[in-house]
């Protein structure tokens, strides 16, 4: 019951922030786009005429490929811009709880500090995953109904976006409890997102870097930081080809997230307010 | 662990040292505070600004970790979250999130205190009524005035029927009528057996409200005692070298209070006749009179005397 109250409180506070509404608004726009503007008439099996804005597109595209393309686009949106908005919107949710005058009262309640912080963490993840579920499930249902293609592999985007968001949120929480700054939390987390595709070029760098220690340093960085880019790419590959390869990016990212969250809890336990 | 203690609060040598992050300097916000607050009383903690009152309270609630010493709440170690269940707390300079409505705020904090949903439904309107905010329950607290926030904060502290209230400057920002209402509310709580621990600067208010007080000065307990002993009121204080036991007993019967300190005894007499009789008796036995002075002891005088002495 206490957890539920903490989650609800996180929702209530998050929804006072406009960025969450922007995120939900964009998702809604996309769903409406596929609902009303994309008209697909299946003629025979794989070929069909597709009309966009009421006008038929030239040629007869392969419906299967087109649907996968759309799924890929949605996943990419969720993964990049959506993730950025979600991080940006969530960055203030921990520092705001720690404000003098607010935290004392929360700490005076009969719950542990870990419970308090994890309740916030959970609420935040739930809110962002609800957006993923809404968008992915919405588009999936609409395209499924219009084309008859019900490929469940698209739903994997819900799991991967939620997972990576949880990993990034652990950094947001750690910076929140140490620096109490939403701006710092956003900057550092976005930096992690941006360096991820660079660090992912391991094969190339192994050839370019001259010394052994610099190669080891690169590997260490690569294995330490969350693999935002690679998980995104794995999601796209899964959608396009139906295969999901390699679990190293998942567990190394999970480990990173657990360590960050653990550090955040440890520091939060010991602070004076 | 003694869970059934006769004290609501019991601290032993409680100390908090804050370290300045860069300069390396340290502040002893509270320094070896040993205090006992009996159950069911209204206890006032006084002290000048920066004396450590808020730090003391925050240590009790584990918002601040003590450097050393111990604190028990109803016999339970204060660091145990369960020790906080019987407490209703109103912080100093509180800032409730402005996205709440009055009723929503009570709902949230009551649920954290473990009040069930059905109980909350019943208790929220009752408590809004209790602090005179019935009409404002649906309004966002961002639009509340300072006094309204204070009342709401008090309702929040009361809603889970705590056995102890810890109030840091409870009447801050409240108008005189509201203050009286709050005082009456607290007295009613006391009559229901609730222990009340108040931090305040408003001495007149503490004087009418509290049964016992402690004065904190520079992090240390400078004085503790029962209110009626400390503020004996108008009369005369006679300080003498210790008379014979028989005479001491006789004088004690006439005096309103008596206190012994290093070889001297203070008697407080309510009238001029009584103090003159006492002088006659003492001089008949060759006792030395150290001093005789009229007193109009109010809490303010006690406070100033205690704080200036140091
Ligand atoms: N977080 C902190 N870091 C460092 N010093 C602190 C901190 N909190 C309080 N202090 C210091 O501890 C001392 C006691 O402060 P405290 O707030 O407990 O006083 P107070 O008696 O409540 O004062 P007031 O009557 O003004 O409310 C002060 O010197 C204050 O500067
Ligand atoms: Mg204070």
């Amino acid at each position: 019951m206490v957890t539920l109250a903490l989650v609800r409180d996180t929702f209530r506070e998050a929804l006072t922030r406009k960025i969450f509404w922007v995120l939900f608004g964009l998702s809604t726009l996309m769903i409406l786009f596929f609902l009303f503007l994309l008209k697909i008439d299946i003629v025979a099996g794989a070929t069909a005429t597709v009309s966009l804005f009421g006008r038929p597109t030239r040629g007869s595209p392969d419906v299967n490929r087109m649907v996968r393309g759309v799924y890929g686009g949605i996943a990419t949106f969720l993964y990049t811009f959506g993730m950025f908005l979600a991080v940006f919107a969530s960055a203030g949710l921990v520092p705001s709880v720690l404000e003098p005058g607010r935290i004392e009262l929360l700490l005076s309640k009969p719950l542990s500090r870990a419970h308090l912080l994890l309740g916030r963490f959970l609420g935040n993840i739930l809110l962002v995953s609800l957006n993923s579920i809404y968008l992915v499930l919405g588009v999936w249902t609409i395209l499924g109904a219009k084309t008859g293609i019900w490929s469940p592999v698209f739903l994997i985007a819900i799991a991967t976006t939620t997972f990576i968001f949880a990993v990034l949120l652990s950094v947001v929480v750690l910076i929140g409890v140490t620096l109490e700054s939403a701006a710092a939390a956003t900057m550092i987390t976005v930096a992690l997102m941006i360096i991820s595709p660079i660090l992912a070029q391991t094969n190339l760098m192994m050839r370019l870097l001259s010394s052994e220690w610099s190669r080891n340093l690169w590997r260490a960085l690569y294995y330490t930081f969350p693999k935002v880019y690679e998980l995104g790419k794995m999601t796209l590959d899964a959608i396009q080809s139906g295969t999901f390869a390699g679990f190293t990016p998942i567990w190394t990212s999970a480990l990173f997230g657990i360590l960050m969250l653990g550090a955040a809890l440890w520091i939060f336990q010991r602070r004076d307010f | 662990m003694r869970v059934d203690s006769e004290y609501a609060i019991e601290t032993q040598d409680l100390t908090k040292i804050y370290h300045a992050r860069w300069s390396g300097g340290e502040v002893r916000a509270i320094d070896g505070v040993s205090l006992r607050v009996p159950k069911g009383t209204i206890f006032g903690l006084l002290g000048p600004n920066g004396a450590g009152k808020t730090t003391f309270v925050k240590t009790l609630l584990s918002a601040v970790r003590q450097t050393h010493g111990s604190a028990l709440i109803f016999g339970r170690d204060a660091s145990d979250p369960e020790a906080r269940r019987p407490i209703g707390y109103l912080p100093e300079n509180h800032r409730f999130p402005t996205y709440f409505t009055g009723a929503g705020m009570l709902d949230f904090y009551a649920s954290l205190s473990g009040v069930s949903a059905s109980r909350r439904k019943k208790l929220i309107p009752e408590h809004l009524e209790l602090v005179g905010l019935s009409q404002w329950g649906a309004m966002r607290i961002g639009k509340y005035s300072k006094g309204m926030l204070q009342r709401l904060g008090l309702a929040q502290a009361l809603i889970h029927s705590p056995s102890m209230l810890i109030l840091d400057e409870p009447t801050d920002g409240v108008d005189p009528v509201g203050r009286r209402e709050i005082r009456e509310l607290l007295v009613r709580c006391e009559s229901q057996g609730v222990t009340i621990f108040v931090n305040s600067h408003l001495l007149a208010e503490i004087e009418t409200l509290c049964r016992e007080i402690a004065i904190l000065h520079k992090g240390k307990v400078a004085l503790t005692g029962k209110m009626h002993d400390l503020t004996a009121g108008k009369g005369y204080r006679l300080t003498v070298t210790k008379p014979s036991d028989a005479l001491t007993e006789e004088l004690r019967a006439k005096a309103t209070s008596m206190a012994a300190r290093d070889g001297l005894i203070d008697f407080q007499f309510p009238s001029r006749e009584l103090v003159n009789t006492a002088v006659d008796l003492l001089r008949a036995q060759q006792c030395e009179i150290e001093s005789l002075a009229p007193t109009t002891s109010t809490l303010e005088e006690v406070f100033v005397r205690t704080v200036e002495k140091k």
Side-chain angles (χ1 to χ4, degrees), chain A:
Chain A
M1 189 179 71
V2 171
T3 310
L4 187 68
L6 292 171
V7 166
R8 273 186 54 195
D9 182 51
T10 313
F11 271 44
R12 205 178 287 138
E13 182 168 355
L15 294 179
T16 62
R17 289 163 197 239
K18 295 198 180 66
I19 310 170
F20 273 114
W21 291 108
V22 170
L23 192 58
F24 290 132
L26 286 174
S27 301
T28 306
L29 277 180
M30 272 184 245
I31 288 175
L32 291 177
F33 173 83
F34 290 108
L35 190 59
F36 293 115
L37 297 179
L38 189 73
K39 196 159 170 291
I40 301 170
D41 297 309
I42 309 284
V43 177
T47 52
T49 57
V50 174
S51 69
L52 197 55
F53 300 107
R55 255 172 295 157
T57 53
R58 260 178 289 144
S60 306
D62 177 347
V63 175
N64 204 6
R65 252 187 60 205
M66 190 211 69
V67 169
R68 282 174 192 281
V70 169
Y71 288 163
I74 297 282
T76 309
F77 162 79
L78 265 182
Y79 220 82
T80 53
F81 195 58
M83 193 71 70
F84 175 74
L85 285 184
V87 165
F88 197 65
S90 307
L93 288 178
V94 167
S96 72
V97 175
L98 303 185
E99 275 172 16
R102 181 168 174 191
I103 185 68
E104 293 96 324
L105 187 53
L106 288 170
L107 293 179
S108 80
K109 298 294 171 189
L111 70 162
S112 68
R113 290 189 180 193
H115 195 164
L116 185 66
L117 197 63
L118 290 176
R120 230 167 220 213
F121 185 71
L122 183 69
N124 205 338
I125 291 177
L126 273 179
L127 187 63
V128 171
S129 73
L130 278 181
N131 178 63
S132 294
I133 291 171
Y134 170 58
L135 176 59
V136 171
L137 220 53
V139 172
W140 187 71
T141 315
I142 292 165
L143 285 191
K146 286 191 174 181
T147 64
I149 297 170
W150 297 94
S151 166
V153 77
F154 181 42
L155 302 182
I156 203 174
I158 296 174
T160 50
T161 48
T162 305
F163 172 72
I164 278 296
F165 178 72
V167 172
L168 292 176
L169 190 62
S170 68
V171 181
V172 170
V173 170
L174 176 60
I175 296 166
V177 298
T178 46
L179 302 180
E180 289 187 30
S181 153
T186 315
M187 279 191 298
I188 294 174
T189 312
V190 169
L192 281 179
M193 291 170 73
I194 290 172
I195 61 167
S196 149
I198 304 169
L199 282 178
Q201 309 303 318
T202 344
N203 291 338
L204 178 67
M205 290 313 287
M206 287 306 110
R207 269 178 280 132
L208 290 183
L209 290 172
S210 52
S211 68
E212 188 56 34
W213 75 263
S214 59
R215 279 196 289 271
N216 282 337
L217 178 67
W218 187 276
R219 267 192 218 107
L221 288 176
Y222 168 73
Y223 282 110
T224 309
F225 286 129
K227 288 148 199 75
V228 183
Y229 169 79
E230 276 162 301
L231 267 159
K233 200 165 164 300
M234 281 161 64
T235 309
L236 274 185
D237 288 347
I239 290 169
Q240 308 294 358
S241 64
T243 55
F244 197 83
F247 285 92
T248 314
I250 297 179
W251 74 259
T252 51
S253 302
L255 193 64
F256 175 84
I258 290 167
L259 283 176
M260 293 297 117
L261 195 60
L265 286 171
W266 194 81
I267 290 167
F268 184 52
Q269 295 282 0
R270 272 150 196 81
R271 274 196 54 180
D272 288 333
F273 292 97

Side-chain angles (χ1 to χ4, degrees), chain B residues 77-249:
Chain B
D77 194 292
S79 60
D80 177 359
E82 278 307 307
R84 301 194 286 271
R85 193 172 293 282
I87 297 180
Y89 173 47
L90 179 64
E92 179 186 34
N93 304 322
H94 48 70
R95 290 234 309 261
F96 308 121
T98 50
Y99 50 81
F100 281 128
T101 60
M105 179 271 204
L106 290 182
D107 187 68
F108 174 60
Y109 289 109
S111 60
L112 291 189
S113 290
V115 182
S116 71
S118 56
R119 293 272 300 149
R120 295 202 298 273
K121 216 170 190 165
K122 181 170 162 292
L123 291 175
I124 290 168
E126 280 177 19
H127 281 79
L128 285 170
E129 170 87 53
L130 190 68
V131 295
L133 290 174
S134 314
Q135 299 157 9
W136 310 100
M139 190 163 98
R140 287 205 178 248
I141 63 179
K143 294 182 189 154
Y144 276 29
S145 71
K146 193 167 180 213
M148 288 163 78
L149 283 171
Q150 201 67 19
R151 287 154 186 256
L152 187 68
L154 204 59
Q156 169 277 134
L158 287 166
I159 196 161
H160 51 288
S161 327
S163 326
M164 170 160 60
L165 283 172
I166 296 184
L167 310 170
D168 205 342
E169 312 279 351
T171 53
D172 188 27
V174 181
D175 60 46
V177 177
R179 274 185 196 172
R180 209 178 56 214
E181 286 168 9
I182 289 178
R183 272 204 307 274
E184 285 164 5
L185 185 65
L186 295 182
V187 170
R188 233 179 304 147
C189 288
E190 189 205 19
S191 69
Q192 291 160 10
V194 177
T195 311
I196 301 172
F197 186 92
V198 202
N199 277 1
S200 182
H201 294 292
L202 300 172
L203 297 173
E205 197 167 287
I206 291 281
E207 191 166 354
T208 50
L209 192 64
C210 295
R211 312 284 174 246
E212 276 186 48
I213 60 157
I215 297 179
L216 213 55
H217 186 46
K218 297 188 176 146
K220 291 192 159 80
V221 180
L223 182 89
T224 59
K226 295 219 185 327
M227 186 67 79
H228 64 80
D229 291 342
L230 294 171
T231 58
K234 271 199 165 53
Y236 297 86
R237 185 169 45 245
L238 179 61
T239 307
V240 296
T241 53
K242 196 171 177 344
S244 69
D245 287 350
L247 184 55
T248 308
E249 274 312 307

